mmCIF file of all heavy atoms in Angstrom:
data_model
loop_
_atom_site.group_PDB
_atom_site.id
_atom_site.type_symbol
_atom_site.label_atom_id
_atom_site.label_comp_id
_atom_site.label_asym_id
_atom_site.label_seq_id
_atom_site.Cartn_x
_atom_site.Cartn_y
_atom_site.Cartn_z
ATOM 1 N N ASP A 36 6.858 -12.901 3.278
ATOM 2 C CA ASP A 36 5.722 -13.416 4.041
ATOM 3 C C ASP A 36 4.492 -13.697 3.196
ATOM 4 O O ASP A 36 3.412 -13.918 3.713
ATOM 5 C CB ASP A 36 5.374 -12.457 5.171
ATOM 6 C CG ASP A 36 4.947 -11.090 4.676
ATOM 7 O OD1 ASP A 36 5.175 -10.784 3.493
ATOM 8 O OD2 ASP A 36 4.394 -10.330 5.485
ATOM 9 N N TRP A 37 4.644 -13.736 1.872
ATOM 10 C CA TRP A 37 3.477 -13.941 1.017
ATOM 11 C C TRP A 37 2.797 -15.294 1.214
ATOM 12 O O TRP A 37 1.569 -15.367 1.127
ATOM 13 C CB TRP A 37 3.816 -13.711 -0.458
ATOM 14 C CG TRP A 37 4.687 -14.748 -1.083
ATOM 15 C CD1 TRP A 37 6.045 -14.738 -1.161
ATOM 16 C CD2 TRP A 37 4.277 -15.966 -1.696
ATOM 17 N NE1 TRP A 37 6.508 -15.856 -1.785
ATOM 18 C CE2 TRP A 37 5.442 -16.639 -2.137
ATOM 19 C CE3 TRP A 37 3.045 -16.563 -1.932
ATOM 20 C CZ2 TRP A 37 5.401 -17.862 -2.780
ATOM 21 C CZ3 TRP A 37 3.012 -17.786 -2.580
ATOM 22 C CH2 TRP A 37 4.178 -18.424 -2.999
ATOM 23 N N PRO A 38 3.510 -16.400 1.501
ATOM 24 C CA PRO A 38 2.777 -17.669 1.656
ATOM 25 C C PRO A 38 1.746 -17.626 2.792
ATOM 26 O O PRO A 38 0.637 -18.142 2.648
ATOM 27 C CB PRO A 38 3.878 -18.694 1.948
ATOM 28 C CG PRO A 38 5.121 -18.108 1.392
ATOM 29 C CD PRO A 38 4.970 -16.626 1.588
ATOM 30 N N GLY A 39 2.092 -16.990 3.895
ATOM 31 C CA GLY A 39 1.154 -16.894 5.009
ATOM 32 C C GLY A 39 -0.070 -16.066 4.669
ATOM 33 O O GLY A 39 -1.198 -16.419 5.022
ATOM 34 N N HIS A 40 0.150 -14.956 3.964
ATOM 35 C CA HIS A 40 -0.978 -14.111 3.576
ATOM 36 C C HIS A 40 -1.888 -14.828 2.581
ATOM 37 O O HIS A 40 -3.112 -14.738 2.679
ATOM 38 C CB HIS A 40 -0.486 -12.796 2.979
ATOM 39 C CG HIS A 40 0.135 -11.886 3.984
ATOM 40 N ND1 HIS A 40 -0.575 -11.289 4.992
ATOM 41 C CD2 HIS A 40 1.419 -11.483 4.140
ATOM 42 C CE1 HIS A 40 0.227 -10.547 5.732
ATOM 43 N NE2 HIS A 40 1.455 -10.651 5.236
ATOM 44 N N PHE A 41 -1.302 -15.531 1.629
ATOM 45 C CA PHE A 41 -2.113 -16.255 0.650
ATOM 46 C C PHE A 41 -2.885 -17.392 1.314
ATOM 47 O O PHE A 41 -4.041 -17.639 0.982
ATOM 48 C CB PHE A 41 -1.240 -16.797 -0.472
ATOM 49 C CG PHE A 41 -1.022 -15.822 -1.587
ATOM 50 C CD1 PHE A 41 -1.253 -14.474 -1.427
ATOM 51 C CD2 PHE A 41 -0.579 -16.261 -2.811
ATOM 52 C CE1 PHE A 41 -1.044 -13.580 -2.438
ATOM 53 C CE2 PHE A 41 -0.368 -15.369 -3.849
ATOM 54 C CZ PHE A 41 -0.604 -14.028 -3.666
ATOM 55 N N THR A 42 -2.240 -18.094 2.235
ATOM 56 C CA THR A 42 -2.919 -19.178 2.944
ATOM 57 C C THR A 42 -4.132 -18.631 3.688
ATOM 58 O O THR A 42 -5.224 -19.205 3.635
ATOM 59 C CB THR A 42 -1.949 -19.873 3.921
ATOM 60 O OG1 THR A 42 -0.815 -20.328 3.196
ATOM 61 C CG2 THR A 42 -2.608 -21.026 4.632
ATOM 62 N N TYR A 43 -3.931 -17.528 4.380
ATOM 63 C CA TYR A 43 -5.025 -16.873 5.112
ATOM 64 C C TYR A 43 -6.137 -16.466 4.143
ATOM 65 O O TYR A 43 -7.324 -16.726 4.373
ATOM 66 C CB TYR A 43 -4.472 -15.654 5.832
ATOM 67 C CG TYR A 43 -5.322 -15.057 6.917
ATOM 68 C CD1 TYR A 43 -4.820 -14.903 8.199
ATOM 69 C CD2 TYR A 43 -6.614 -14.608 6.679
ATOM 70 C CE1 TYR A 43 -5.576 -14.330 9.209
ATOM 71 C CE2 TYR A 43 -7.373 -14.043 7.679
ATOM 72 C CZ TYR A 43 -6.850 -13.904 8.940
ATOM 73 O OH TYR A 43 -7.604 -13.342 9.927
ATOM 74 N N LEU A 44 -5.757 -15.825 3.042
ATOM 75 C CA LEU A 44 -6.722 -15.329 2.065
ATOM 76 C C LEU A 44 -7.538 -16.476 1.456
ATOM 77 O O LEU A 44 -8.768 -16.398 1.376
ATOM 78 C CB LEU A 44 -5.971 -14.561 0.970
ATOM 79 C CG LEU A 44 -6.779 -13.741 -0.006
ATOM 80 C CD1 LEU A 44 -7.610 -12.702 0.719
ATOM 81 C CD2 LEU A 44 -5.843 -13.061 -0.992
ATOM 82 N N TYR A 45 -6.867 -17.540 1.053
ATOM 83 C CA TYR A 45 -7.576 -18.668 0.447
ATOM 84 C C TYR A 45 -8.431 -19.406 1.478
ATOM 85 O O TYR A 45 -9.497 -19.925 1.134
ATOM 86 C CB TYR A 45 -6.597 -19.613 -0.247
ATOM 87 C CG TYR A 45 -6.176 -19.083 -1.597
ATOM 88 C CD1 TYR A 45 -4.953 -18.456 -1.764
ATOM 89 C CD2 TYR A 45 -7.014 -19.179 -2.697
ATOM 90 C CE1 TYR A 45 -4.571 -17.951 -2.998
ATOM 91 C CE2 TYR A 45 -6.655 -18.675 -3.932
ATOM 92 C CZ TYR A 45 -5.423 -18.067 -4.072
ATOM 93 O OH TYR A 45 -5.063 -17.558 -5.297
ATOM 94 N N TYR A 46 -7.988 -19.444 2.724
ATOM 95 C CA TYR A 46 -8.797 -20.066 3.779
ATOM 96 C C TYR A 46 -10.091 -19.284 3.965
ATOM 97 O O TYR A 46 -11.175 -19.874 4.044
ATOM 98 C CB TYR A 46 -8.008 -20.128 5.089
ATOM 99 C CG TYR A 46 -8.694 -20.961 6.143
ATOM 100 C CD1 TYR A 46 -8.396 -22.309 6.287
ATOM 101 C CD2 TYR A 46 -9.644 -20.405 6.997
ATOM 102 C CE1 TYR A 46 -9.033 -23.088 7.254
ATOM 103 C CE2 TYR A 46 -10.294 -21.174 7.952
ATOM 104 C CZ TYR A 46 -9.974 -22.506 8.080
ATOM 105 O OH TYR A 46 -10.612 -23.267 9.022
ATOM 106 N N VAL A 47 -9.987 -17.975 4.029
ATOM 107 C CA VAL A 47 -11.183 -17.133 4.176
ATOM 108 C C VAL A 47 -12.097 -17.302 2.964
ATOM 109 O O VAL A 47 -13.319 -17.410 3.100
ATOM 110 C CB VAL A 47 -10.788 -15.654 4.385
ATOM 111 C CG1 VAL A 47 -11.990 -14.737 4.224
ATOM 112 C CG2 VAL A 47 -10.155 -15.459 5.751
ATOM 113 N N ALA A 48 -11.515 -17.356 1.770
ATOM 114 C CA ALA A 48 -12.322 -17.514 0.555
ATOM 115 C C ALA A 48 -13.051 -18.858 0.539
ATOM 116 O O ALA A 48 -14.203 -18.942 0.109
ATOM 117 C CB ALA A 48 -11.437 -17.378 -0.680
ATOM 118 N N ASP A 49 -12.391 -19.911 1.009
ATOM 119 C CA ASP A 49 -12.982 -21.251 0.969
ATOM 120 C C ASP A 49 -13.956 -21.519 2.106
ATOM 121 O O ASP A 49 -14.953 -22.211 1.923
ATOM 122 C CB ASP A 49 -11.880 -22.311 1.003
ATOM 123 C CG ASP A 49 -11.041 -22.323 -0.263
ATOM 124 O OD1 ASP A 49 -11.502 -21.784 -1.293
ATOM 125 O OD2 ASP A 49 -9.918 -22.851 -0.222
ATOM 126 N N HIS A 50 -13.658 -21.018 3.311
ATOM 127 C CA HIS A 50 -14.443 -21.374 4.485
ATOM 128 C C HIS A 50 -15.354 -20.258 4.998
ATOM 129 O O HIS A 50 -16.257 -20.515 5.795
ATOM 130 C CB HIS A 50 -13.516 -21.831 5.624
ATOM 131 C CG HIS A 50 -12.709 -23.036 5.267
ATOM 132 N ND1 HIS A 50 -11.439 -22.944 4.756
ATOM 133 C CD2 HIS A 50 -13.010 -24.358 5.322
ATOM 134 C CE1 HIS A 50 -10.972 -24.168 4.527
ATOM 135 N NE2 HIS A 50 -11.907 -25.032 4.854
ATOM 136 N N GLY A 51 -15.090 -19.017 4.626
ATOM 137 C CA GLY A 51 -15.921 -17.905 5.077
ATOM 138 C C GLY A 51 -15.678 -17.473 6.509
ATOM 139 O O GLY A 51 -16.407 -16.647 7.043
ATOM 140 N N VAL A 52 -14.673 -18.038 7.140
ATOM 141 C CA VAL A 52 -14.303 -17.666 8.507
ATOM 142 C C VAL A 52 -12.785 -17.537 8.568
ATOM 143 O O VAL A 52 -12.074 -18.107 7.732
ATOM 144 C CB VAL A 52 -14.769 -18.717 9.547
ATOM 145 C CG1 VAL A 52 -16.285 -18.807 9.592
ATOM 146 C CG2 VAL A 52 -14.159 -20.073 9.278
#
Side-chain angles (χ1 to χ4, degrees):
D36 62 345
W37 71 269
H40 290 293
F41 273 18
T42 304
Y43 196 124
L44 191 58
Y45 281 101
Y46 190 93
V47 167
D49 292 341
H50 299 94
V52 296

